């Protein structure tokens, strides 16, 4: 191995570079990289030797992804340290000082040697972090209900907040003294993280004993979960749901004294239905799980955010009015053209 190995930026729009990168990933069991996967990456770096591309790492927001090193160059950990340190330094130069990584069990110790702390370990992998934020800081910033109360939680993407989401909150409130509503913070939706959070806050403002919180970086969404190092969709869902459930149970629920989690019934999305079933497996007995039937209009039209987004595309404000609270309707009607442009660009 040459002592003059250098890290270079990889431009994956270049066909030859993309082929070299995908070939390296493929030979290390990372398959089926799509254009959408690549578009989610902010930067990608690589190391070349006379053998060609021998190592790579990517950054997506503050998450390290696609860390691959040819097995012939792994012996002393030099390339691992070079790549991870370079990625951390790049993020620091951009003012980002909190770094997350989801990785295989085999790589956990190597990250720990570089100062990463283990947040959660499952049978499929490890979730680690490093920097000026931590899960304990996140927990300390959550509003705490004091007293002997029945406290429940709902986690939602709310893309956007619909009458179905509102119904779920109202049903949970009937069976709880307080309900926490966590809005997933991932920005991979039609509505931005802040827009979704504000629409939920406005939509439940009339309800007492409902506490709306941003999910932060510790509620892992299917949209952002890095599934590339898993073999198939079954493993992806198993790892993601197990990780999400354990993080919720071991950190958030314990801190906030949450004993029940409400889920909306999912008759439309097979993946979300399987996700709900997985939560039924991983959360009990510490957290009771109850699935609430989906609300419908006209006794047959199931309310869904997917349907609302479809109506936005076609400008059907009349149907949107039936599917969402007035606060969401006002936002959509005022920003319809912009939302349609976002849909066209996705």
């Amino acid at each position: 191995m040459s002592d003059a190995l250098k890290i270079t930026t990889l431009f994956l729009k270049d066909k030859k570079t993309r082929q070299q990168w995908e070939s390296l990933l493929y030979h290390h069991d990372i398959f089926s990289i799509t254009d959408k996967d690549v578009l989610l990456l902010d930067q990608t770096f690589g190391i070349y030797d006379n053998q060609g591309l021998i190592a790579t790492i990517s950054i997506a927001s503050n998450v390290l992804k696609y860390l691959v090193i040819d097995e012939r160059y792994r012996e002393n950990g030099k390339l691992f340290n070079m790549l991870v340190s370079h990625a951390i330094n790049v993020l620091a130069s951009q003012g980002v000082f909190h770094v997350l990584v989801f990785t295989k069990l085999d790589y956990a110790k190597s990250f720990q040697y570089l100062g990463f702390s283990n947040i959660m370990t499952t049978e499929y992998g490890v979730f680690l972090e490093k920097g000026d934020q931590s899960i304990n800081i996140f927990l300390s910033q959550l509003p705490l209900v004091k007293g002997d109360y029945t406290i429940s939680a709902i986690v939602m993407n709310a893309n956007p907040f619909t009458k179905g989401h509102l119904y779920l909150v109202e049903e949970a409130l009937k069976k709880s003294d307080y309900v926490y509503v966590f809005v997933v913070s991932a920005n991979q939706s039609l509505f931005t993280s802040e827009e979704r959070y504000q629409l939920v806050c406005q939509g439940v403002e009339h309800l007492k004993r409902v506490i709306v919180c941003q999910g932060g970086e510790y509620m892992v969404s299917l949209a952002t979960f890095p599934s590339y190092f898993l073999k198939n969709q079954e493993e992806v869902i198993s790892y993601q749901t197990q990780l999400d459930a354990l993080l919720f149970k071991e950190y958030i629920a314990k801190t906030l004294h949450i004993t029940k989690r409400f889920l909306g019934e999912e008759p439309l999305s097979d993946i979300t239905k399987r996700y709900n079933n997985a939560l039924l497996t991983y959360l009990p007995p510490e957290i009771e799980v109850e699935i609430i039937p989906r609300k419908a209009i006209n006794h047959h039209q199931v309310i869904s955010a997917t349907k609302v987004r479809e109506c936005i595309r076609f400008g059907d404000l009349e149907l949107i009015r039936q599917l969402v609270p007035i606060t969401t309707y006002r936002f959509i009607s005022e920003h319809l053209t912009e939302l349609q442009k976002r849909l066209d660009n996705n």
Side-chain angles (χ1 to χ4, degrees):
M1 181 172 68
S2 171
D3 293 329
L5 293 175
K6 295 181 180 180
I7 296 176
T8 184
T9 299
L10 301 183
F11 297 98
L12 299 181
K13 289 183 179 180
D14 178 75
K15 186 176 180 181
K16 182 179 179 181
T17 302
R18 172 81 174 265
Q19 289 175 341
Q20 291 174 328
W21 182 72
E22 287 191 351
S23 177
L24 178 64
L25 268 54
Y26 181 86
H27 283 97
H28 293 83
D29 299 326
I30 299 176
F31 311 106
S32 304
I33 307 299
T34 66
D35 290 338
K36 183 177 180 180
D37 295 328
V38 174
L39 285 173
L40 290 174
L41 302 178
D42 297 321
Q43 290 174 285
T44 296
F45 307 101
I47 298 176
Y48 288 90
D49 202 349
N50 53 11
Q51 304 294 326
L53 184 65
I54 59 171
T56 185
I57 193 170
S58 296
I59 299 171
S61 185
N62 66 332
V63 180
L64 304 186
K65 292 187 172 185
Y66 297 109
L67 174 57
V68 173
I69 300 169
D70 189 291
E71 60 271 8
R72 294 169 294 177
Y73 298 82
R74 294 180 189 171
E75 187 174 347
N76 60 11
K78 178 181 177 181
L79 297 193
F80 180 95
N81 294 344
M82 284 177 61
L83 286 169
V84 175
S85 297
H86 181 77
I88 291 172
N89 290 336
V90 168
L91 287 171
S93 71
Q94 299 168 356
V96 178
F97 300 99
H98 184 221
V99 185
L100 302 172
V101 65
F102 305 78
T103 189
K104 296 179 180 180
L105 295 168
D106 298 346
Y107 295 149
K109 285 187 177 180
S110 297
F111 278 104
Q112 289 166 353
Y113 288 144
L114 292 179
F116 281 78
S117 298
N118 186 352
I119 302 173
M120 182 62 65
T121 300
T122 75
E123 62 184 296
Y124 295 98
V126 186
F127 181 27
L128 306 101
E129 67 179 345
K130 174 184 172 73
D132 61 353
Q133 293 292 317
S134 71
I135 193 165
N136 290 324
I137 293 175
F138 170 74
L139 294 172
S140 71
Q141 296 170 343
L142 295 175
L144 181 64
V145 175
K146 296 182 179 180
D148 187 18
Y149 297 107
T150 301
I151 302 175
S152 302
I154 300 168
V155 178
M156 61 176 64
N157 195 36
N159 184 36
F161 187 69
T162 68
K163 288 181 179 178
H165 293 113
L166 179 58
Y167 175 73
L168 179 60
V169 176
E170 291 170 337
E171 290 299 300
L173 199 54
K174 291 176 183 178
K175 303 176 182 182
S176 317
D177 295 318
Y178 286 88
V179 176
Y180 282 93
V181 178
F182 293 96
V183 184
V184 173
S185 295
N187 254 331
Q188 307 299 333
S189 305
L190 171 60
F191 294 77
T192 69
S193 172
E194 184 60 27
E195 287 169 352
R196 290 183 288 105
Y197 173 72
Q198 291 299 332
L199 288 176
V200 175
C201 289
Q202 294 166 15
V204 301
E205 190 174 15
H206 63 290
L207 299 174
K208 296 181 179 180
R209 299 178 285 111
V210 175
I211 304 167
V212 183
C213 302
Q214 291 179 320
E217 297 172 307
Y218 304 102
M219 292 188 179
V220 188
S221 75
L222 285 167
T224 58
F225 183 74
S227 59
Y228 52 84
F229 60 87
L230 301 175
K231 295 178 181 178
N232 52 54
Q233 187 69 5
E234 291 293 335
E235 278 198 1
V236 170
I237 294 174
S238 294
Y239 183 10
Q240 195 274 325
T241 52
Q242 186 183 64
L243 178 64
D244 187 54
L246 291 176
L247 283 169
F248 181 83
K249 181 162 64 174
E250 295 301 321
Y251 289 98
I252 295 167
K254 283 185 177 179
T255 299
L256 301 178
H257 310 296
I258 293 167
T259 57
K260 192 164 186 176
R261 182 158 162 181
F262 287 89
L263 310 174
E265 182 185 30
E266 187 45 73
L268 303 176
S269 169
D270 181 60
I271 290 178
T272 306
K273 186 186 299 183
R274 290 155 69 188
Y275 179 79
N276 285 355
N277 289 336
L279 292 178
L280 284 164
T281 300
Y282 295 125
L283 288 180
E286 293 87 351
I287 310 296
E288 181 186 353
V289 179
E290 182 172 345
I291 298 179
I292 303 297
R294 185 70 71 96
K295 186 176 178 62
I297 58 173
N298 303 325
H299 305 291
H300 67 278
Q301 173 70 67
V302 173
I303 298 175
S304 74
T306 301
K307 184 64 178 179
V308 175
R309 296 193 298 274
E310 179 183 312
C311 290
I312 289 172
R313 183 179 293 279
F314 295 105
D316 190 347
L317 288 173
E318 184 54 41
L319 183 52
I320 291 173
R321 187 191 293 272
Q322 299 178 56
L323 297 173
V324 302
I326 186 62
T327 46
T328 302
Y329 175 78
R330 286 174 184 157
F331 181 89
I332 291 174
S333 60
E334 290 171 6
H335 299 85
L336 181 61
T337 301
E338 179 187 349
L339 292 168
Q340 289 174 329
K341 287 180 179 177
R342 292 183 194 176
L343 283 169
D344 290 339
N345 291 332
N346 288 340

